[in-house]
Amino acid sequence: MKIVIVGGVAGGASAAARARRLDETAEIVVLERGHHPSFANCGLPYYVGGKIESRKKLLVAPVEMLRNRHRLDVRVRSQVTKIDRDRKQVHVSNLETGDQYTESFDKLIIATGASPFRPPIPGIDSSKVLELRDLTDADRMHAIATSGVKRAVIVGAGFIGMEVAENLVLRGIDVTVVELADQILPPWDREMIQPIEKHLGEQGVKVLLGESAIGFQESAGDGLTIQLKSGQSLDADFAVVSIGVRPESQLAVDADIECGPGGGIIVNDSMQTSDPNIYAVGDVTQVSCFVSKTPVQIPLAGPANRQGRIAADHIFGRSSTYRGTQGTAVVGVFGMTAAMTGLSEKLLQRHDMPYEKIYVHPSDHAGYYPGAQGLTLKLLFDPIDGVILGAQCVGTNGVDKRIDVIAMAIQASMTVYDLEEAELCYAPQYGHAKDPINMAGFVASGVLRGDQPVLHVDDIQSKEDSERFLLDVRSEGEFSDGHIPDATNIPLESLREHLAELPSDQPIAAYCKVGQRGYVATRILRQNGFDAANVSGGYTSWMRRSLDSE
């Protein structure tokens, strides 16, 4: 068996190592056009910022290790220019010598990844307009960031944009972020990410939303001017473009291998392409969403590595299939963390899938133990059977832990009722006896059981719902510090004594700070004949949504 793998990073390297473990006699050739196979893409921003001091740390599996330990024929600076499906050959160009040759294969794995999207903007080819895809890019950015420059503009506020922003600030550089969308980190729902946007400002990062770069021009001296669509211009020493990636699938297109509308190579659950002798793995592929079962292209390292293993398994006759990508992701920004899994609310709406949602605002661990920090957890679930569809969490500590738990729950097709019963480790410095996961399950299950109908901030802000009576059940001091407009304050402790003051012919929206007292109030009111519902997430959610809409 001779396997040729095009691309030696993430999925390609995983496929090669797995293939060797499965068959000691197989001939395995890895063709990588770059200088290094199997480097840590996700660590590049932190090398730029100095958190990772040694460049060698980014070399996950150096060439010599792959050759000596796994007996792989690894060829760097070797670019595949054509796939000849009839002859089962690839055409290869040695980028160092210029030599051209062909390499035969029994099975071919395409792991070419995705490349940063660089739109045809005037001046974008300037040496002062950078991107961050590989070690060469990182070396360039590292050299510039440590050369005494003072100003940088980042175009794009996705994962890479946010990580680069943080690391350039660590180098003492003034950073401005330009983002076309109306929020940073577009995969998240807008209201969830607002605390991180605010946090960026507190760290000195200027964020311009609803803006885009339409031109780059090198100015006198060593400067760069970035022209924005609004007519504003920004002066900087350099710019970083990080506005998404596109699958590097031209080899497949030229070989008439089926690709999706977004350019991703279409594969089955064994990672086979439309040619059964050719597989594709990683960011170059179009796969299925685990939740919606719709085609998706989500560039993530974890799925790429799993897909590489699955392709190798299938080549050697093992029953191994890819379940689909559910988009579990995490990003850190100046000590805050945002994580998500499954579908966001915006995607559920786009797919026209029915859903319900709840918000909880607990602390990461027991409040009586020093250092407890707040977090916000949003849970999305089927309104009929409670199957979990997605979740997002934002805070400082413990964010990734909660999303990891829910990610596994989604993999197991679990429901919100299962979250009620989840037994998670507890000590006061790590969590709660009733973990935020349990609390989300309690709240969501209560909604489905009818114990506490919920309203959302969008509901009470809409004109259609203006006739609803707003009841604030917090203390008088909390109410005086700020409340939802037109709300009436009756503290929970005295609510039972003031029921006669409430309208019996008008729906009531009860709320507190985060939802717990609002829930108790809702139970009291409903058992006394009132049409009451709890505002999910309480005043905290209202404040966040209000700030978000400013």
Side-chain angles (χ1 to χ4, degrees), residues 46-69:
Y46 304 98
Y47 169 63
V48 170
K51 288 186 178 179
I52 297 175
E53 296 181 5
S54 173
R55 184 180 185 276
K56 292 182 179 179
K57 294 286 187 180
L58 298 173
L59 301 177
V60 178
V63 174
E64 291 309 312
M65 188 189 86
L66 294 173
R67 290 172 177 166
N68 297 332
R69 180 176 299 177

PDB file of all heavy atoms in Angstrom, residues 46-69:
ATOM      1  N   TYR A  46       0.693  33.652  20.067  1.00  0.00           N
ATOM      2  CA  TYR A  46       1.350  33.730  21.369  1.00  0.00           C
ATOM      3  C   TYR A  46       2.867  33.749  21.236  1.00  0.00           C
ATOM      4  O   TYR A  46       3.565  34.224  22.128  1.00  0.00           O
ATOM      5  CB  TYR A  46       0.850  32.579  22.245  1.00  0.00           C
ATOM      6  CG  TYR A  46      -0.657  32.616  22.360  1.00  0.00           C
ATOM      7  CD1 TYR A  46      -1.455  31.810  21.550  1.00  0.00           C
ATOM      8  CD2 TYR A  46      -1.279  33.524  23.215  1.00  0.00           C
ATOM      9  CE1 TYR A  46      -2.837  31.885  21.617  1.00  0.00           C
ATOM     10  CE2 TYR A  46      -2.659  33.599  23.276  1.00  0.00           C
ATOM     11  CZ  TYR A  46      -3.428  32.785  22.481  1.00  0.00           C
ATOM     12  OH  TYR A  46      -4.789  32.886  22.527  1.00  0.00           O
ATOM     13  N   TYR A  47       3.366  33.252  20.128  1.00  0.00           N
ATOM     14  CA  TYR A  47       4.787  33.432  19.811  1.00  0.00           C
ATOM     15  C   TYR A  47       5.047  34.882  19.435  1.00  0.00           C
ATOM     16  O   TYR A  47       6.031  35.483  19.868  1.00  0.00           O
ATOM     17  CB  TYR A  47       5.180  32.492  18.678  1.00  0.00           C
ATOM     18  CG  TYR A  47       6.550  32.770  18.091  1.00  0.00           C
ATOM     19  CD1 TYR A  47       7.699  32.653  18.866  1.00  0.00           C
ATOM     20  CD2 TYR A  47       6.676  33.159  16.759  1.00  0.00           C
ATOM     21  CE1 TYR A  47       8.957  32.912  18.322  1.00  0.00           C
ATOM     22  CE2 TYR A  47       7.926  33.415  16.207  1.00  0.00           C
ATOM     23  CZ  TYR A  47       9.059  33.295  16.997  1.00  0.00           C
ATOM     24  OH  TYR A  47      10.284  33.565  16.455  1.00  0.00           O
ATOM     25  N   VAL A  48       4.139  35.467  18.669  1.00  0.00           N
ATOM     26  CA  VAL A  48       4.261  36.883  18.302  1.00  0.00           C
ATOM     27  C   VAL A  48       4.282  37.753  19.548  1.00  0.00           C
ATOM     28  O   VAL A  48       5.062  38.710  19.661  1.00  0.00           O
ATOM     29  CB  VAL A  48       3.118  37.303  17.363  1.00  0.00           C
ATOM     30  CG1 VAL A  48       3.103  38.823  17.171  1.00  0.00           C
ATOM     31  CG2 VAL A  48       3.240  36.606  16.015  1.00  0.00           C
ATOM     32  N   GLY A  49       3.427  37.430  20.526  1.00  0.00           N
ATOM     33  CA  GLY A  49       3.322  38.242  21.732  1.00  0.00           C
ATOM     34  C   GLY A  49       4.355  37.944  22.792  1.00  0.00           C
ATOM     35  O   GLY A  49       4.449  38.672  23.782  1.00  0.00           O
ATOM     36  N   GLY A  50       5.114  36.879  22.637  1.00  0.00           N
ATOM     37  CA  GLY A  50       6.166  36.558  23.591  1.00  0.00           C
ATOM     38  C   GLY A  50       5.757  35.601  24.686  1.00  0.00           C
ATOM     39  O   GLY A  50       6.591  35.219  25.516  1.00  0.00           O
ATOM     40  N   LYS A  51       4.483  35.193  24.734  1.00  0.00           N
ATOM     41  CA  LYS A  51       4.083  34.212  25.745  1.00  0.00           C
ATOM     42  C   LYS A  51       4.764  32.872  25.478  1.00  0.00           C
ATOM     43  O   LYS A  51       5.104  32.138  26.410  1.00  0.00           O
ATOM     44  CB  LYS A  51       2.564  34.050  25.740  1.00  0.00           C
ATOM     45  CG  LYS A  51       1.816  35.241  26.312  1.00  0.00           C
ATOM     46  CD  LYS A  51       0.328  34.966  26.410  1.00  0.00           C
ATOM     47  CE  LYS A  51      -0.414  36.141  27.021  1.00  0.00           C
ATOM     48  NZ  LYS A  51      -1.877  35.896  27.112  1.00  0.00           N
ATOM     49  N   ILE A  52       4.916  32.520  24.217  1.00  0.00           N
ATOM     50  CA  ILE A  52       5.726  31.368  23.830  1.00  0.00           C
ATOM     51  C   ILE A  52       7.055  31.927  23.363  1.00  0.00           C
ATOM     52  O   ILE A  52       7.145  32.548  22.299  1.00  0.00           O
ATOM     53  CB  ILE A  52       5.038  30.560  22.715  1.00  0.00           C
ATOM     54  CG1 ILE A  52       3.702  29.990  23.218  1.00  0.00           C
ATOM     55  CG2 ILE A  52       5.938  29.430  22.234  1.00  0.00           C
ATOM     56  CD1 ILE A  52       2.892  29.289  22.143  1.00  0.00           C
ATOM     57  N   GLU A  53       8.080  31.754  24.158  1.00  0.00           N
ATOM     58  CA  GLU A  53       9.350  32.404  23.876  1.00  0.00           C
ATOM     59  C   GLU A  53      10.147  31.697  22.795  1.00  0.00           C
ATOM     60  O   GLU A  53      10.804  32.343  21.976  1.00  0.00           O
ATOM     61  CB  GLU A  53      10.178  32.496  25.168  1.00  0.00           C
ATOM     62  CG  GLU A  53       9.534  33.378  26.237  1.00  0.00           C
ATOM     63  CD  GLU A  53      10.388  33.470  27.480  1.00  0.00           C
ATOM     64  OE1 GLU A  53      11.517  32.923  27.473  1.00  0.00           O
ATOM     65  OE2 GLU A  53       9.950  34.101  28.458  1.00  0.00           O
ATOM     66  N   SER A  54      10.107  30.393  22.787  1.00  0.00           N
ATOM     67  CA  SER A  54      10.932  29.632  21.852  1.00  0.00           C
ATOM     68  C   SER A  54      10.126  29.213  20.629  1.00  0.00           C
ATOM     69  O   SER A  54       9.083  28.560  20.739  1.00  0.00           O
ATOM     70  CB  SER A  54      11.500  28.379  22.530  1.00  0.00           C
ATOM     71  OG  SER A  54      12.154  27.560  21.594  1.00  0.00           O
ATOM     72  N   ARG A  55      10.615  29.570  19.469  1.00  0.00           N
ATOM     73  CA  ARG A  55       9.968  29.170  18.217  1.00  0.00           C
ATOM     74  C   ARG A  55       9.927  27.654  18.079  1.00  0.00           C
ATOM     75  O   ARG A  55       8.990  27.082  17.495  1.00  0.00           O
ATOM     76  CB  ARG A  55      10.741  29.783  17.056  1.00  0.00           C
ATOM     77  CG  ARG A  55      10.168  29.561  15.676  1.00  0.00           C
ATOM     78  CD  ARG A  55      11.081  30.236  14.666  1.00  0.00           C
ATOM     79  NE  ARG A  55      10.568  30.187  13.303  1.00  0.00           N
ATOM     80  CZ  ARG A  55      10.747  29.152  12.485  1.00  0.00           C
ATOM     81  NH1 ARG A  55      11.392  28.076  12.918  1.00  0.00           N
ATOM     82  NH2 ARG A  55      10.262  29.205  11.247  1.00  0.00           N
ATOM     83  N   LYS A  56      10.920  26.970  18.630  1.00  0.00           N
ATOM     84  CA  LYS A  56      10.988  25.517  18.526  1.00  0.00           C
ATOM     85  C   LYS A  56       9.793  24.835  19.203  1.00  0.00           C
ATOM     86  O   LYS A  56       9.421  23.716  18.842  1.00  0.00           O
ATOM     87  CB  LYS A  56      12.286  24.999  19.140  1.00  0.00           C
ATOM     88  CG  LYS A  56      13.536  25.380  18.352  1.00  0.00           C
ATOM     89  CD  LYS A  56      14.785  24.788  18.987  1.00  0.00           C
ATOM     90  CE  LYS A  56      16.031  25.150  18.187  1.00  0.00           C
ATOM     91  NZ  LYS A  56      17.268  24.601  18.800  1.00  0.00           N
ATOM     92  N   LYS A  57       9.214  25.516  20.191  1.00  0.00           N
ATOM     93  CA  LYS A  57       8.058  24.946  20.881  1.00  0.00           C
ATOM     94  C   LYS A  57       6.874  24.746  19.938  1.00  0.00           C
ATOM     95  O   LYS A  57       5.976  23.947  20.217  1.00  0.00           O
ATOM     96  CB  LYS A  57       7.642  25.862  22.036  1.00  0.00           C
ATOM     97  CG  LYS A  57       8.648  25.978  23.164  1.00  0.00           C
ATOM     98  CD  LYS A  57       8.680  24.733  24.016  1.00  0.00           C
ATOM     99  CE  LYS A  57       9.558  24.927  25.250  1.00  0.00           C
ATOM    100  NZ  LYS A  57       9.606  23.712  26.091  1.00  0.00           N
ATOM    101  N   LEU A  58       6.837  25.493  18.842  1.00  0.00           N
ATOM    102  CA  LEU A  58       5.729  25.411  17.896  1.00  0.00           C
ATOM    103  C   LEU A  58       5.861  24.224  16.949  1.00  0.00           C
ATOM    104  O   LEU A  58       4.914  23.905  16.222  1.00  0.00           O
ATOM    105  CB  LEU A  58       5.635  26.702  17.078  1.00  0.00           C
ATOM    106  CG  LEU A  58       5.357  27.976  17.893  1.00  0.00           C
ATOM    107  CD1 LEU A  58       5.453  29.201  16.999  1.00  0.00           C
ATOM    108  CD2 LEU A  58       3.985  27.906  18.540  1.00  0.00           C
ATOM    109  N   LEU A  59       7.021  23.589  16.932  1.00  0.00           N
ATOM    110  CA  LEU A  59       7.238  22.450  16.042  1.00  0.00           C
ATOM    111  C   LEU A  59       6.759  21.183  16.746  1.00  0.00           C
ATOM    112  O   LEU A  59       7.499  20.537  17.487  1.00  0.00           O
ATOM    113  CB  LEU A  59       8.713  22.343  15.664  1.00  0.00           C
ATOM    114  CG  LEU A  59       9.295  23.581  14.961  1.00  0.00           C
ATOM    115  CD1 LEU A  59      10.785  23.381  14.692  1.00  0.00           C
ATOM    116  CD2 LEU A  59       8.549  23.872  13.680  1.00  0.00           C
ATOM    117  N   VAL A  60       5.497  20.836  16.508  1.00  0.00           N
ATOM    118  CA  VAL A  60       4.890  19.697  17.198  1.00  0.00           C
ATOM    119  C   VAL A  60       5.603  18.402  16.841  1.00  0.00           C
ATOM    120  O   VAL A  60       5.909  17.577  17.699  1.00  0.00           O
ATOM    121  CB  VAL A  60       3.392  19.605  16.831  1.00  0.00           C
ATOM    122  CG1 VAL A  60       2.762  18.383  17.504  1.00  0.00           C
ATOM    123  CG2 VAL A  60       2.664  20.878  17.249  1.00  0.00           C
ATOM    124  N   ALA A  61       5.842  18.200  15.563  1.00  0.00           N
ATOM    125  CA  ALA A  61       6.535  16.989  15.106  1.00  0.00           C
ATOM    126  C   ALA A  61       7.537  17.393  14.034  1.00  0.00           C
ATOM    127  O   ALA A  61       7.195  17.443  12.855  1.00  0.00           O
ATOM    128  CB  ALA A  61       5.536  15.965  14.567  1.00  0.00           C
ATOM    129  N   PRO A  62       8.763  17.698  14.402  1.00  0.00           N
ATOM    130  CA  PRO A  62       9.777  18.101  13.420  1.00  0.00           C
ATOM    131  C   PRO A  62      10.007  17.012  12.366  1.00  0.00           C
ATOM    132  O   PRO A  62       9.723  15.828  12.585  1.00  0.00           O
ATOM    133  CB  PRO A  62      11.028  18.312  14.285  1.00  0.00           C
ATOM    134  CG  PRO A  62      10.510  18.565  15.656  1.00  0.00           C
ATOM    135  CD  PRO A  62       9.273  17.729  15.786  1.00  0.00           C
ATOM    136  N   VAL A  63      10.554  17.439  11.245  1.00  0.00           N
ATOM    137  CA  VAL A  63      10.767  16.523  10.119  1.00  0.00           C
ATOM    138  C   VAL A  63      11.544  15.283  10.544  1.00  0.00           C
ATOM    139  O   VAL A  63      11.157  14.145  10.219  1.00  0.00           O
ATOM    140  CB  VAL A  63      11.521  17.250   8.977  1.00  0.00           C
ATOM    141  CG1 VAL A  63      11.881  16.261   7.880  1.00  0.00           C
ATOM    142  CG2 VAL A  63      10.668  18.372   8.410  1.00  0.00           C
ATOM    143  N   GLU A  64      12.640  15.472  11.261  1.00  0.00           N
ATOM    144  CA  GLU A  64      13.483  14.318  11.610  1.00  0.00           C
ATOM    145  C   GLU A  64      12.753  13.332  12.499  1.00  0.00           C
ATOM    146  O   GLU A  64      12.962  12.116  12.396  1.00  0.00           O
ATOM    147  CB  GLU A  64      14.777  14.802  12.279  1.00  0.00           C
ATOM    148  CG  GLU A  64      15.715  15.534  11.326  1.00  0.00           C
ATOM    149  CD  GLU A  64      15.986  14.737  10.054  1.00  0.00           C
ATOM    150  OE1 GLU A  64      16.291  13.525  10.169  1.00  0.00           O
ATOM    151  OE2 GLU A  64      15.876  15.307   8.955  1.00  0.00           O
ATOM    152  N   MET A  65      11.892  13.820  13.376  1.00  0.00           N
ATOM    153  CA  MET A  65      11.136  12.907  14.224  1.00  0.00           C
ATOM    154  C   MET A  65      10.175  12.075  13.385  1.00  0.00           C
ATOM    155  O   MET A  65      10.033  10.860  13.584  1.00  0.00           O
ATOM    156  CB  MET A  65      10.364  13.673  15.290  1.00  0.00           C
ATOM    157  CG  MET A  65       9.714  12.761  16.328  1.00  0.00           C
ATOM    158  SD  MET A  65       8.600  13.620  17.445  1.00  0.00           S
ATOM    159  CE  MET A  65       7.102  13.560  16.471  1.00  0.00           C
ATOM    160  N   LEU A  66       9.493  12.725  12.438  1.00  0.00           N
ATOM    161  CA  LEU A  66       8.562  11.996  11.581  1.00  0.00           C
ATOM    162  C   LEU A  66       9.298  10.960  10.739  1.00  0.00           C
ATOM    163  O   LEU A  66       8.795   9.852  10.522  1.00  0.00           O
ATOM    164  CB  LEU A  66       7.814  12.977  10.672  1.00  0.00           C
ATOM    165  CG  LEU A  66       6.867  13.953  11.375  1.00  0.00           C
ATOM    166  CD1 LEU A  66       6.322  14.970  10.390  1.00  0.00           C
ATOM    167  CD2 LEU A  66       5.718  13.200  12.049  1.00  0.00           C
ATOM    168  N   ARG A  67      10.475  11.326  10.297  1.00  0.00           N
ATOM    169  CA  ARG A  67      11.252  10.380   9.482  1.00  0.00           C
ATOM    170  C   ARG A  67      11.813   9.234  10.315  1.00  0.00           C
ATOM    171  O   ARG A  67      11.728   8.063   9.922  1.00  0.00           O
ATOM    172  CB  ARG A  67      12.384  11.119   8.781  1.00  0.00           C
ATOM    173  CG  ARG A  67      11.915  12.065   7.677  1.00  0.00           C
ATOM    174  CD  ARG A  67      13.060  12.924   7.152  1.00  0.00           C
ATOM    175  NE  ARG A  67      12.632  13.794   6.050  1.00  0.00           N
ATOM    176  CZ  ARG A  67      13.337  14.816   5.596  1.00  0.00           C
ATOM    177  NH1 ARG A  67      14.514  15.111   6.148  1.00  0.00           N
ATOM    178  NH2 ARG A  67      12.883  15.550   4.590  1.00  0.00           N
ATOM    179  N   ASN A  68      12.362   9.547  11.466  1.00  0.00           N
ATOM    180  CA  ASN A  68      13.054   8.531  12.255  1.00  0.00           C
ATOM    181  C   ASN A  68      12.107   7.682  13.094  1.00  0.00           C
ATOM    182  O   ASN A  68      12.259   6.455  13.171  1.00  0.00           O
ATOM    183  CB  ASN A  68      14.093   9.194  13.166  1.00  0.00           C
ATOM    184  CG  ASN A  68      15.184   9.894  12.377  1.00  0.00           C
ATOM    185  OD1 ASN A  68      15.492   9.507  11.248  1.00  0.00           O
ATOM    186  ND2 ASN A  68      15.767  10.934  12.962  1.00  0.00           N
ATOM    187  N   ARG A  69      11.144   8.324  13.740  1.00  0.00           N
ATOM    188  CA  ARG A  69      10.253   7.575  14.634  1.00  0.00           C
ATOM    189  C   ARG A  69       9.181   6.824  13.862  1.00  0.00           C
ATOM    190  O   ARG A  69       8.838   5.685  14.191  1.00  0.00           O
ATOM    191  CB  ARG A  69       9.606   8.520  15.641  1.00  0.00           C
ATOM    192  CG  ARG A  69       8.657   7.815  16.620  1.00  0.00           C
ATOM    193  CD  ARG A  69       8.104   8.778  17.656  1.00  0.00           C
ATOM    194  NE  ARG A  69       9.168   9.368  18.465  1.00  0.00           N
ATOM    195  CZ  ARG A  69       8.964  10.300  19.409  1.00  0.00           C
ATOM    196  NH1 ARG A  69       7.742  10.751  19.628  1.00  0.00           N
ATOM    197  NH2 ARG A  69       9.980  10.782  20.098  1.00  0.00           N
TER     198      ARG A  69
END
